[in-house]
């Protein structure tokens, strides 16, 4: 915590990020700043470039120009797996899990990736058994997202909402400093949506993470976000607290008038 | 406490023990010709298993696996001829190390950008280069092959084992192959193996767990190549002759066929596939001209009827018959 007036380095920052695809200019000079502990919601109509921004932030694609800074260090060209090791976690708009593996095996892969420096003991090593601490972490994570009863089910047989939960469990065991969630409640029933919002809020406080998410559902946004950024045709047109953004006349005109949500 | 996530070491060790015991007893009961087929089969099982470590486990398709088998074979033969006093076990290990180093060099170039069918084509091109090199390089015997590869004497410190005597080399091959299969089993079921499986399922997702996808793919390629190079090294003294044909693309097709026939998603798939293939070949060996047609049709039938191979098909049958019981149990919980 710093006193008022002392400038602190944002946890994650995008500076004048440009990303083009052959036929479209997707991101045009996008600036973004996320302070430690924030929950930032990036909102905007379909095709605004939210997912593309997430890809640039997480390293799935690199920006054409501009830079991405993590704790003030330039990570613009750092490959995604190194960013993950540095503290990034990410979920996908359409949940991606290892479909032929059981839910527990999915989480185990994540735990072992995070525990790289914690091999099992020599006897266990020969038998190839996962370390006991790793198995405990798997159970804990599945429990945390409410999937304990489904731990042996192959991931491809899980419901849409459960896949999203499984993905969250996989991200959580990495103990990320910053978690990027692309539409965490897309396609969920209102009940599922409510429980997901509660879950995200709970794990955020428990693990003290910083969260960046995109969302179409304004209810979810105003429940979770401490800050909101509005992306429109690849341009960041407004940023601020939920209340500020809600009152922003430009946002009201462009976004809320488009019928994409309600405030 | 056994977790469902633990490796099935007790079961697999028991299966392996039974198979090894049967193979070791072969010379006592089987005719010489059959013993020769089985010794070759042991090496081909290693060949198939190591290929499937790349394919079934990691998702890499290589069409040039035979080149590493051949490289290991010629490497050992050349070393054994050039340094007759070198311990043969060092020669075999050296062949493996040579295969690993070569795979890393090739992998650093080939695996960088090219995946899927591009990697397959690159490895196919590589095997053609190796084939042409072996057919035209005089010190390696060119088309006539590398002749007079001796079965060595193993100096075990207190005593010596002459592998040229009786069935000694056969027994040696069976035991050494078992060791190589154990190496593949261990990699497959280790933490690294689980990361490889994740890469096979979805490389992008794996990368977002902090897994170094390129590094692990290279590792799988290197291990598979090293293991198969040792199998190739053992093959030379078994035949006492190596011809460029061991690098031919038709040999590279073998581990693919074994894996598809047996099932790519199980460790035992290539073992079952190689054994099935050998049985078919042995059974049809007198039917000149028809052998290929029969083997081909059976392969086609299996792959069409059971996309998961023989073991995949058996698994599906077992699941189907167990399904009602399982649902009942699940609802109780
Ligand atoms: N790989 C790609 N190649 C070409 N164009 C792409 C690619 N990915 C995205 N686009 C285009 O970029 C624009 C922004 O897409 P993006 O997925 O970032 O939007 P979004 O804000 O996440 O939308 P949604 O709310 O529908 O998820 C769209 O016009 C899309 O068609
Ligand atoms: Mg999107």
């Amino acid at each position: 915590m710093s006193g008022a007036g002392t400038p602190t380095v944002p946890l994650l920052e995008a500076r004048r990020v440009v990303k083009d695809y052959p036929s479209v200019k997707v991101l045009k000079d996008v600036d973004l700043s996320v302070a430690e502990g924030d929950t930032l919601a990036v909102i905007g109509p379909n095709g605004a470039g939210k997912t593309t921004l997430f890809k640039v932030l997480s390293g799935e694609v690199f920006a054409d120009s501009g830079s991405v800074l993590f704790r003030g260090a330039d990570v613009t060209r750092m490959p995604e797996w190194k960013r993950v090791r540095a503290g990034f976690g990410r979920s996908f708009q359409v949940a991606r899990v290892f479909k032929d593996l059981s839910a527990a095996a999915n989480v185990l892969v994540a735990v072992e990736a995070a525990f790289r420096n914690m091999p099992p003991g020599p006897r266990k090593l020969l038998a190839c058994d996962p370390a006991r601490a790793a198995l405990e972490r798997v159970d804990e994570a599945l429990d945390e997202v409410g999937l304990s009863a489904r731990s042996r089910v192959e991931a491809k047989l899980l419901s849409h909402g459960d896949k999203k939960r499984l993905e969250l469990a996989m991200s959580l065991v990495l103990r990320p400093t910053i978690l990027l969630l692309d539409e965490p409640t897309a396609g969920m029933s209102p009940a599922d949506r409510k429980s997901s919002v509660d879950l995200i809020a709970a794990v955020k406080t428990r693990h003290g993470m910083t969260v960046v998410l995109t969302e179409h559902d304004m209810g979810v946004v105003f429940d979770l976000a401490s800050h909101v950024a509005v992306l429109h045709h690849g341009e960041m047109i407004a940023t601020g607290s939920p209340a500020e953004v809600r009152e922003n006349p430009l946002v009201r005109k462009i976004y809320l008038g488009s019928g994409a949500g309600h405030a | 406490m056994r977790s469902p996530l633990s490796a099935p070491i007790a079961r697999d060790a028991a299966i392996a023990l039974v198979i090894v015991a049967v193979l070791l007893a072969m010379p006592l009961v089987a005719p010489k010709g059959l013993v020769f087929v089985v010794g070759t089969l042991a090496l081909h099982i290693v060949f198939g298993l190591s290929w499937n470590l790349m394919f079934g486990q990691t998702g890499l398709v290589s069409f040039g696996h035979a080149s590493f088998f051949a490289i290991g074979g010629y490497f050992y033969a050349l070393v054994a001829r050039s340094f007759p006093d070198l311990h043969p076990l060092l020669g075999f290990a050296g062949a493996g190390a040579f295969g690993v180093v070569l795979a890393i060099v090739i992998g650093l170039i080939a695996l960088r950008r090219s995946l899927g069918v591009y990697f397959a084509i690159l490895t196919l091109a590589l095997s053609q280069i190796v084939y042409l090199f072996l057919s035209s390089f005089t010190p390696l015997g060119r088309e006539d092959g590398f002749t007079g590869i001796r079965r060595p004497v193993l100096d075990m410190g207190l005593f010596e084992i002459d592998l040229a005597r009786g069935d000694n080399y056969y027994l040696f091959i069976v035991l050494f192959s078992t060791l190589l299969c154990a190496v593949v089993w261990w990699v497959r079921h280790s933490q690294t193996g689980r990361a490889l499986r994740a890469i096979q399922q979805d490389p992008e997702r794996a990368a977002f767990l902090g897994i170094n996808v390129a590094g692990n793919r290279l590792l799988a390629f290197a291990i598979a190549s090293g293991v198969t190079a040792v199998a190739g090294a053992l093959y030379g003294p078994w035949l006492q002759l190596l011809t460029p044909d061991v690098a031919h693309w038709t040999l590279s097709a073998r581990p693919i066929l074994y894996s598809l026939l047996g099932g790519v998603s199980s460790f035992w798939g290539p073992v079952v596939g190689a054994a099935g293939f050998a049985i078919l070949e042995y059974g049809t060996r007198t039917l000149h001209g028809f052998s290929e047609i029969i083997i081909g049709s059976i392969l086609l039938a299996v792959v069409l009827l059971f996309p998961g191979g023989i073991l995949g098909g058996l698994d599906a049958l077992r699941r189907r018959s167990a399904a009602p019981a399982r649902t009942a149990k699940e609802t109780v919980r």
Side-chain angles (χ1 to χ4, degrees), chain A:
Chain A
M1 294 290 130
S2 59
T6 328
T8 48
V9 182
L11 183 65
L12 180 67
E13 213 182 343
R15 285 189 191 158
R16 301 182 64 83
V17 164
V18 174
K19 178 72 200 172
D20 294 345
Y21 283 119
S23 51
V24 261
K25 288 186 168 12
V26 186
L27 298 176
K28 304 162 190 162
D29 283 331
V30 170
D31 286 311
L32 187 77
S33 172
V34 191
E36 190 136 24
D38 280 1
T39 299
L40 172 73
V42 179
I43 61 172
N46 288 112
K50 305 178 297 293
T51 296
T52 307
L53 177 61
F54 267 43
K55 288 183 180 175
V56 171
L57 293 176
S58 64
E60 185 180 336
V61 298
F62 292 151
D64 296 331
S65 71
S67 49
V68 178
L69 305 166
F70 184 59
R71 296 203 154 108
D74 193 315
V75 296
T76 316
R77 309 238 135 228
M78 187 188 270
E80 70 281 65
W81 59 274
K82 285 192 180 163
R83 283 190 218 196
V84 171
R85 292 183 182 190
F88 282 70
R90 164 169 186 198
S91 75
F92 291 79
Q93 182 163 345
V94 177
R96 274 166 93 166
V97 291
F98 305 117
K99 58 182 172 46
D100 290 346
L101 307 185
S102 69
N106 266 274
V107 182
L108 179 63
V109 169
V111 169
E112 289 186 326
F115 275 18
R116 231 161 288 106
N117 301 319
M118 226 181 123
R123 195 178 55 80
K124 288 261 175 185
L125 194 69
L126 212 62
C128 293
D129 281 348
R132 183 193 297 269
L135 291 175
E136 280 166 7
R137 190 66 116 21
V138 170
D139 287 343
E140 206 180 283
L142 286 173
D143 191 43
E144 191 163 18
V145 300
L147 278 181
S148 292
R150 322 225 65 199
S151 71
R152 290 182 183 213
V153 178
E154 274 177 39
K156 64 176 166 225
L157 302 177
L158 292 174
S159 72
H160 179 73
D162 282 350
K163 278 190 192 138
K164 285 252 171 199
R165 279 193 196 97
L166 178 57
E167 232 195 357
L168 185 63
M170 290 159 79
S171 299
L172 286 180
V173 295
L174 302 172
R175 295 281 186 266
T177 316
I178 185 160
L179 184 57
L180 306 169
L181 302 172
D182 198 354
E183 303 204 12
T185 71
M188 285 187 184
S189 66
D192 264 359
R193 185 165 290 193
K194 171 82 175 66
S195 79
S196 288
V197 168
D198 294 346
L199 177 61
I200 292 166
V203 295
K204 184 196 145 54
T205 1
R206 191 169 323 134
H207 303 300
M209 289 179 303
T210 305
V211 176
V212 182
L213 58 101
T214 71
E215 190 53 65
H216 282 292
D217 186 293
M218 288 306 120
V220 173
V221 169
F222 291 111
D223 275 353
L224 281 174
S226 64
H227 294 75
V228 177
V230 186
L231 198 60
H232 184 67
H233 288 315
E235 283 174 273
M236 205 56 99
I237 57 165
T239 50
S241 70
E244 281 164 8
V245 169
R246 206 184 333 210
E247 297 313 318
N248 184 312
L250 190 60
V251 176
R252 289 192 85 90
K253 187 162 146 268
I254 295 173
Y255 190 67
L256 302 177
S258 73
H262 55 276

Side-chain angles (χ1 to χ4, degrees), chain B residues 243-333:
Chain B
T243 61
D245 280 346
V246 286
H248 199 258
W249 68 266
T250 48
L251 203 71
S252 288
R254 285 302 187 97
I256 306 177
L257 295 177
Y258 298 159
S259 304
L260 292 179
L261 180 62
V264 294
S265 56
S266 147
F267 169 81
W268 294 101
V271 181
V272 171
F277 207 93
I279 291 169
L280 286 178
E281 264 191 329
Y282 192 74
T284 58
R285 71 192 181 287
T286 50
L287 309 172
H288 292 290
F290 287 107
S291 172
E292 280 83 1
I293 299 173
I294 294 173
I295 295 176
S297 342
I298 292 180
L299 270 178
L300 201 65
V302 169
V303 172
L304 288 179
L305 284 175
F306 309 106
I310 295 172
L311 291 183
L314 288 178
D315 200 42
L317 287 180
R318 194 175 49 79
R319 272 187 204 211
R320 198 177 308 159
S321 59
R326 180 154 348 128
T327 359
K329 209 161 74 189
E330 214 86 83
T331 33
V332 173
R333 270 200 206 136

